[in-house]
Amino acid sequence: MTTPDIAVHSHPNVLAAAAAARLVTRLVDLQAAGNTPKIVLTGGTTGVAVLGQIRASVARDAVDWSRVEFYWGDERFVAPDDPERNEKQARDALLDHIPVDPAKVFPMGADTGSGPSGAEAAAQEYAEVLARAARPEDHGPVPSFDVLMLGMGEEGHTASVFPHSPAVYETERSVVAVHGCPKPPPTRVSLTLPAIRRAAEVWIMTTGEAKAAAVAMALGGAGEVAIPVAGARGRRRTLFLLDRAAASKLPRDLVPPIA
């Protein structure tokens, strides 16, 4: 797996703006090379803030948004219009304000009355969506995403793969239902670590002192069963985007100059 790169920013708002600029630049470069970028969105405070920064940026119009495919790394299995849904937050922050092609937006399924048991079908359906989007050169049932963005929790979870949970041991499936999550809502749908590792670039974005210990463990060689974010690696690049507080427990020689 790739050795992670680290970027540290002075404040969460600076991190969100920098990540937004990185993403716009990456999309422009991919499109200039004739590609249709495939990106994976994340929820959470930082993930939504990045989308808001893109919306506010004059550079956003440099991207042909009708030629970008949008996927999600995980989803809360709640009603379609629930404000907790990562999809709804992403639409409110950005997608409803740019000229996306609806056929290139691939949200995970919602709870339309099934209750928690419906998450299993939603996971299987999303695995089928990914398999249809994969090309022969991807060598498997998951697209080679260009940029896959993730957050992380205080205990080291990423997407909805929690420490010592069944999902962290999954090696075959690309998408799983997750039940009994230690933080609400308890039922979710999530990419697995093997699916995440199909991405060319994985960006892990997190802020706050409460995350510092997990960041230090993930970058210090912890195993993915105990610290799942340690297993989230890109094929070509893994980038930790941190604020000063989240980087506060890293060894000094690992911390680059703060932007």
Side-chain angles (χ1 to χ4, degrees):
M1 290 194 292
T2 52
T3 299
D5 297 324
I6 303 168
V8 181
H9 297 280
S10 58
H11 187 274
N13 291 345
V14 177
L15 187 159
R22 282 180 187 271
L23 185 58
V24 167
T25 300
R26 191 78 190 96
L27 294 174
V28 169
D29 288 347
L30 287 162
Q31 290 185 338
N35 299 309
T36 297
K38 300 177 189 293
I39 66 170
V40 180
L41 304 178
T42 183
T45 303
T46 303
V48 174
V50 170
L51 299 183
Q53 289 281 354
I54 293 173
R55 177 185 172 188
S57 168
V58 295
R60 82 178 200 190
D61 294 334
V63 178
D64 179 354
W65 294 106
S66 70
R67 288 199 304 118
V68 179
E69 294 183 10
F70 297 92
Y71 301 83
W72 274 263
D74 73 324
E75 186 56 274
R76 287 97 178 243
F77 194 66
V78 291
D81 59 350
D82 193 308
E84 286 279 284
R85 266 184 70 82
N86 291 337
E87 178 201 359
K88 177 169 174 50
Q89 293 176 10
R91 289 187 183 278
D92 290 347
L94 178 64
L95 300 185
D96 286 349
H97 308 278
I98 54 175
V100 300
D101 178 352
K104 292 184 173 66
V105 180
F106 301 98
M108 291 178 165
D111 184 353
T112 56
S114 66
S117 64
E120 303 292 340
Q124 178 60 34
E125 288 166 6
Y126 208 66
E128 292 167 2
V129 167
L130 298 184
R132 287 194 296 270
R135 303 159 299 182
E137 58 265 35
D138 294 327
H139 303 295
V142 179
S144 181
F145 304 115
D146 294 292
V147 178
L148 189 153
M149 295 182 286
L150 294 168
M152 61 166 284
E154 297 175 12
E155 77 298 84
H157 86 266
T158 195
S160 286
V161 181
F162 288 84
H164 303 286
S165 69
V168 82
Y169 294 100
E170 181 62 52
T171 60
E172 298 297 326
R173 291 178 292 174
S174 60
V175 189
V176 292
V178 181
H179 299 282
C181 291
K183 58 183 293 188
T187 306
R188 304 177 182 209
V189 177
S190 181
L191 298 188
T192 60
L193 291 177
I196 288 169
R197 289 193 285 261
R198 294 300 306 148
E201 297 190 22
V202 170
W203 299 1
I204 297 154
M205 308 179 296
T206 197
T207 65
E209 189 174 1
K211 313 285 184 68
V215 167
M217 286 188 281
L219 290 168
E224 63 190 44
V225 171
I227 305 290
V229 75
R233 295 288 184 267
R235 289 183 297 105
R236 297 179 192 159
R237 189 184 195 198
T238 305
L239 175 63
F240 274 76
L241 288 156
L242 311 170
D243 72 346
R244 190 193 305 266
S248 61
K249 294 188 178 178
L250 289 174
R252 189 168 298 176
D253 62 331
L254 278 185
V255 179
I258 295 174

